Amino acid sequence: MKSIKETRFYRYWANQSISMMDVKTIQLLLHHQFSFQQLKKYVTFPFTTLDEFASFLYKKEPELKRHLVNVISYESMCEFYLEYEHLKQKFKKCIMVSFLYPCMLYLCSLATVMFLYHFFLPQVKSFTDKPPVIEELFVYLLYLVLWLVLVLILSLMMIHLYVSNNEFRNQLYVQTLSRVSFLQIHRVSHLWFIIGFHYLMKSGVSTKQSLEVMLQFRRWPLVHQMAYQVLDLLKQGRSLEDALKQLSHSTLLTQYVIKGEIGHDLSIAFEEYLSLETNLLLQSYQKSLMIIKLISYFVVIITLAISYRIISVPLQHILNQF
């Protein structure tokens, strides 16, 4: 019990996140049938009820939380939350580690171009009678492109994190980002759908109720869309396996659904699919990020070449005077 007593639960305000360790501790306490009052003795619990805690966990998906409360326990809600957070952390770690170096190169290139454009070029133009027009044009174009890329990336991040308008997010994800192949939006959405659907069915929730819960994933429009279409096909009298095979954009998912259909155990097929698809997706992102690395190297080379050309202008002017 010592480790439970030492557990800290500092980050509980509305705009902060709760660590996975905190949620896991609470989930374990609930699993061992601790009451709410007993739970408060072992963790610094800032909520007045478990329902308030669940609302905090699912604050970005209030409708999802409302449906989950009706079909699974608070312990299972913690576990459901951890299933997704674990996968998100896995992807974040992979992307952040691979993206850090290209990001540093990009920022260094941007800083260099800003220095050349705002400080060095004006000095060069005042120093020589023949200003470097071509070099200045290249610097301006590179400066413009780097800033546009930065604004685009920051805008997409802000939209993903803070925009809650479901219609706008649907247009962004379904109509635009899903067409960008290296983002793998369809594959990630299939993975998200199967994780939730598999967990709910494994927890004893009926197929219909599981799909109704998955319909509440408003922040992932393709997950919502897939749940809606599967539910519609089931109402038409199709089997679950047929519905999943018909709607799947993933050949791998279709293969595992067929495998589960033959073996009469879709649950095991889902587990195998999730394990393999997660690893394949991580590998795919690493390959895509390798291309981004190569692009960042190319940008650095161009920046250095332009810098050399601009710096050589005043040096050439000095040499000509001798």
Side-chain angles (χ1 to χ4, degrees), residues 106-125:
Y106 172 83
L107 292 174
C108 287
S109 297
L110 180 59
T112 303
V113 171
M114 286 179 67
F115 174 76
L116 291 173
Y117 187 74
H118 289 290
F119 300 102
F120 198 77
L121 267 175
Q123 295 294 324
V124 170
K125 285 193 286 186

Side-chain angles (χ1 to χ4, degrees), residues 252-269:
L252 186 67
L253 177 57
T254 304
Q255 289 173 349
Y256 274 97
V257 169
I258 293 170
K259 184 179 177 180
E261 193 175 14
I262 294 170
H264 303 289
D265 196 336
L266 203 56
S267 180
I268 292 175

